[in-house]
Amino acid sequence: METSNEEMAHPEERCHSDQRAFLSRVFDRLGLDRAARTLLTNSFREVTVQVPVRVQRGGRAVLETFEGYRVQHNHARGPFKGGLRFHPDVDIVEVRALAQLMTWKTSLVDIPFGGAKGGIAVDPGRLTGDELETLTKRFTQKLMPIIGPMRDIPAPDVNTSPQIMAWIFEEYSKTHDYAPAVVTGKPVELGGARGRLEATGHGVAFITALACRDRGLAVADARVAIQGFGNVGSHTARRLSELGARVVAISDVHGGVYRGDGLDVAAAIKHVAQTGRLQGLAGAEPIDNAQLLALPCDVLIPAALGGAINEDNEADVQASVVVEAANMPVTHGADDALGERGITVVPDILANAGGVIASYFEWVQDIQQLGWEESELLGRMEALLERAWAATVSAAGGGSGLRTSAYEIAVERVLHAIELRGF
Ligand code: NAD
């Protein structure tokens, strides 16, 4: 089958540069032709919307117009699923890449969803609570025709909280009756799942323990450094310290803290809740984000934004295991270099998949109007993660790295679903 995209040497040229490199390798290994590559890399639908809001600046109301996005990549295996990010750097290229990543993630852990992502280019720290509510609800109005419990189900990501999910639920329900399954990551009082908030970090810690085990290291003996102390980073740190690991360094956008004997993670979480940042944590030394990435430790966990470990700093990494808690935190060049140095890199689509698995369970509970106990959700989540881990490691036994084998499994499943359904 020939496509109309003749002018492109490789259909994956449209992708984000790192993802293009990861995908091209996998497509080549699977022997996919141009038609299959085009089908797998193009988005199903990309929407850009204008979100005007009157905001207070210097004591007077001014009109600001924000740009919002939703990209639906593929839904061969189920409704579109993926988070919403509120951050000044959000743009269509990043959202497109993250949407595609969700397709591979939901496929790898074998849950009945496709992939999507969205966001607004905004610094939510500059908005009042009322302005943020207006922004979220207007954005939801614009997305109304393309979201829904059986169509596309958003979730939290960077700077988007359960409160923001509650506003989306409310706005959607105004015209669609009671529909809690339109969005996941809601407050428990509104149909959120017990355990969803901590699920991504809990899953990262679970996968970290498996990766340590494969390197002959007990997680209880591991020294861990974590970049990013938001939802994912803080719950990863808390769970790893429960498992006995020594969390020696953590950081946020303002800088980091270090303690060689291990930080008191509960005290750090409390300190951030009180002050809004890690700086000034009692009993810890200040470090910066560059120093954190270069610390001598067993496990390094980037849990903030994309591109944190790149060609400029990968040589500084001293850990033997890097676990991608964030999405796309290791660039393609850095990934190859770390691999050559014998460092295990656990890819994002496996490492942080606990979040979307928990979202899937929230969606299931909302549809059935049932609430599970937290232990049931986390236990079922661990079972799915363990199965995906075993499949990935087994496929990687053939000589490919974890990322390549994870992508291969995911891509083959999506392609098979497309073939079964037809067009
Ligand atoms: P969050 O907004 O709760 O936290 C982000 C953290 O990163 C904050 O501590 C922030 O200060 C820090 N940070 C931001 N810029 C930084 C920088 N330049 N240097 C160091 N730290 C910086 O976001 P989150 O939900 O924890 O998401 C973090 C990452 O995990 C993102 O890549 C996201 O896509 C990914 N992720 C999140 C979920 C989820 O369920 N929330 C699921 C899967 C993947």
Side-chain angles (χ1 to χ4, degrees):
M1 183 167 72
E2 268 307 321
T3 68
S4 57
N5 302 57
E6 294 286 325
E7 69 282 2
M8 271 184 261
H10 286 289
E12 53 271 32
E13 299 267 296
R14 294 185 76 244
C15 301
H16 182 280
S17 58
D18 288 316
Q19 207 163 44
R20 174 168 66 224
F22 293 139
L23 272 178
S24 290
R25 181 177 299 171
V26 170
F27 289 172
D28 288 347
R29 282 170 63 94
L30 294 174
L32 300 190
D33 63 10
R34 176 192 297 272
R37 288 171 183 246
T38 306
L39 203 56
L40 291 169
T41 46
N42 282 6
S43 307
F44 173 85
R45 181 190 277 139
E46 298 185 354
V47 174
T48 301
V49 296
Q50 188 189 56
V51 195
V53 181
R54 280 192 203 286
V55 297
Q56 287 297 320
R57 292 281 175 262
R60 61 190 192 92
V62 296
L63 182 67
E64 278 201 27
T65 301
F66 300 93
E67 195 136 294
Y69 309 93
R70 186 73 179 168
V71 173
Q72 299 172 330
H73 173 247
N74 184 288
H75 64 162
R77 293 172 38 86
F80 298 106
K81 186 86 188 84
L84 292 175
R85 181 176 289 199
F86 288 3
H87 191 279
D89 294 344
V90 165
D91 63 23
I92 191 70
V93 175
E94 182 187 65
V95 174
R96 186 183 289 144
L98 293 168
Q100 198 182 115
L101 203 70
M102 288 304 296
T103 300
W104 312 133
K105 194 181 297 184
T106 53
S107 172
L108 177 66
V109 296
D110 208 5
I111 56 177
F113 286 134
K117 202 80 180 189
I120 304 179
V122 60
D123 178 357
R126 296 187 66 229
L127 301 183
T128 65
D130 285 348
E131 290 162 359
L132 192 58
E133 179 176 348
T134 305
L135 178 78
T136 304
K137 290 187 171 173
R138 280 195 191 145
F139 182 48
T140 307
Q141 286 162 13
K142 301 282 170 88
L143 296 187
M144 205 73 94
I146 61 162
I147 61 171
M150 295 297 156
R151 191 169 287 173
D152 181 357
I153 307 121
D157 192 78
V158 174
N159 292 333
T160 50
S161 59
Q163 173 62 75
I164 290 175
M165 301 304 115
W167 289 328
I168 296 172
F169 158 54
E170 163 59 17
E171 194 61 24
Y172 185 83
S173 297
K174 277 180 187 155
T175 47
H176 291 81
D177 296 331
Y178 177 66
V182 67
V183 69
T184 57
K186 298 176 294 296
V188 173
E189 302 87 320
L190 294 179
R194 289 182 197 87
R196 170 63 186 91
L197 196 61
E198 51 271 57
T200 310
H202 187 101
V204 171
F206 181 75
I207 289 284
T208 301
L210 294 177
C212 286
R213 189 191 66 190
D214 272 26
R215 300 272 317 200
L217 173 73
V219 67
D221 296 328
R223 289 163 51 84
V224 185
I226 303 174
Q227 185 202 46
F229 203 65
N231 175 288
V232 178
S234 66
H235 287 293
T236 300
R238 187 190 46 74
R239 182 62 185 154
L240 279 172
S241 62
E242 279 171 16
L243 295 174
R246 250 189 299 163
V247 179
V248 295
I250 47 183
S251 67
D252 60 24
V253 68
H254 308 288
V257 289
Y258 171 82
R259 184 167 182 268
D261 289 338
L263 293 157
D264 179 343
V265 175
I269 291 172
K270 203 167 155 194
H271 180 79
V272 171
Q274 285 166 350
T275 68
R277 55 183 65 199
L278 283 161
Q279 275 170 351
L281 177 68
E285 296 168 34
I287 54 167
D288 62 30
N289 270 291
Q291 288 171 314
L292 181 141
L293 296 175
L295 280 176
C297 59
D298 300 301
V299 182
L300 176 61
I301 305 185
L305 298 177
I309 301 175
N310 49 53
E311 286 81 343
D312 294 334
N313 63 12
E314 58 76 17
D316 300 334
V317 172
Q318 298 194 53
S320 50
V321 178
V322 174
V323 181
E324 290 190 325
N327 285 317
M328 305 200 300
V330 180
T331 63
H332 176 253
D335 189 55
D336 276 352
L338 295 175
E340 278 163 22
R341 284 167 55 206
I343 297 170
T344 301
V345 180
V346 184
D348 42 15
I349 60 171
L350 178 58
N352 67 34
V356 73
I357 295 173
S359 275
Y360 164 50
F361 293 147
E362 179 173 328
W363 179 76
V364 166
Q365 291 171 64
D366 285 340
I367 288 169
Q368 300 186 2
Q369 287 298 291
L370 271 177
W372 304 353
E373 291 306 319
E374 178 179 319
S375 56
E376 181 169 2
L377 181 140
L378 294 177
R380 284 177 181 245
M381 181 189 84
E382 288 184 358
L384 289 191
L385 283 177
E386 190 154 20
R387 197 168 67 182
W389 170 265
T392 305
V393 168
S394 153
S400 58
L402 289 176
R403 190 186 312 274
T404 301
S405 52
Y407 265 81
E408 270 182 29
I409 294 168
V411 167
E412 281 196 303
R413 283 190 187 144
V414 172
L415 204 53
H416 187 52
I418 295 171
E419 283 163 2
L420 284 173
R421 290 175 72 150
F423 303 101

